[in-house]
Amino acid sequence: MKKTAILFLSTVVTIAVSAAEKPPIDYERYRREAREVFIVHVEKAKSETVADGKHRYQYALVRARVLKVERGRVGVSAGETVYIRYISRFLTSPGTTMPLLKEGKSYRAYLNLILDRSPNSLHEKAFPEWDYNRQFFPCVDVKSFEEAG
């Protein structure tokens, strides 16, 4: 009985330690793998509260001018306007937060192209000129944007 209890306890401890040892997110790897890296100047940033079933969150919609293309695969050039959309903050669980980009500021942005071209009234309400061929999402979570000089 005592051996069984010790074996059971050691198994529980091993499982608990293994579960707690999740590797940290490798943000640098995600940055290296970002398909698009632009220096952008934020012209306009809007936030909309959205309810989706039991969750409520703030949706960020950004119009930015590309100042420089550091890496690009979809043919965006300096001077073009791009649109960035992402969830900036969950108002109910799970609770992650990404900052809303500030108008008038410049950022290095690690992005991927959004392939879905379906019209979305949320985008069109915020920016009637929304270009579905030039819409991107941040691909490195909270490390997707760095302020640039």
Side-chain angles (χ1 to χ4, degrees):
M1 178 71 171
K2 190 174 181 180
K3 284 184 180 181
T4 305
I6 291 173
L7 180 60
F8 175 75
L9 183 59
S10 67
T11 302
V12 169
V13 169
T14 301
I15 291 171
V17 168
S18 296
E21 292 179 3
K22 290 182 182 176
I25 296 172
D26 187 354
Y27 290 116
E28 289 307 314
R29 184 183 119 225
Y30 288 120
R31 283 181 170 178
R32 285 191 307 273
E33 293 175 357
R35 297 177 76 76
E36 315 298 322
V37 181
F38 305 142
I39 303 296
V40 298
H41 179 77
V42 175
E43 295 176 337
K44 194 80 171 161
K46 295 185 177 188
S47 176
E48 295 284 336
T49 299
V50 176
D52 181 11
K54 64 181 179 179
H55 298 290
R56 288 180 54 237
Y57 51 91
Q58 284 191 310
Y59 206 83
L61 302 164
V62 177
R63 182 180 67 217
R65 176 85 45 205
V66 176
L67 301 177
K68 180 180 178 186
V69 176
E70 293 184 353
R71 178 168 58 239
R73 296 185 181 178
V74 296
V76 172
S77 301
E80 285 190 57
T81 298
V82 295
Y83 297 87
I84 304 167
R85 71 179 200 203
Y86 59 96
I87 295 172
S88 67
R89 186 164 69 99
F90 280 89
L91 303 174
T92 56
S93 67
T96 59
T97 300
M98 279 185 66
L100 182 62
L101 301 181
K102 294 185 171 110
E103 293 177 11
K105 295 273 188 181
S106 295
Y107 298 89
R108 174 175 285 111
Y110 298 86
L111 306 168
N112 283 335
L113 183 68
I114 296 173
L115 299 176
D116 181 12
R117 304 284 191 268
S118 304
N120 183 309
S121 61
L122 185 64
H123 306 147
E124 292 166 0
K125 180 178 134 190
F127 299 106
E129 74 283 3
W130 188 275
D131 184 349
Y132 290 94
N133 294 311
R134 291 289 186 250
Q135 62 178 343
F136 298 86
F137 69 94
C139 62
V140 196
D141 196 37
V142 297
K143 302 286 186 176
S144 294
F145 304 103
E146 302 172 327
E147 277 199 49

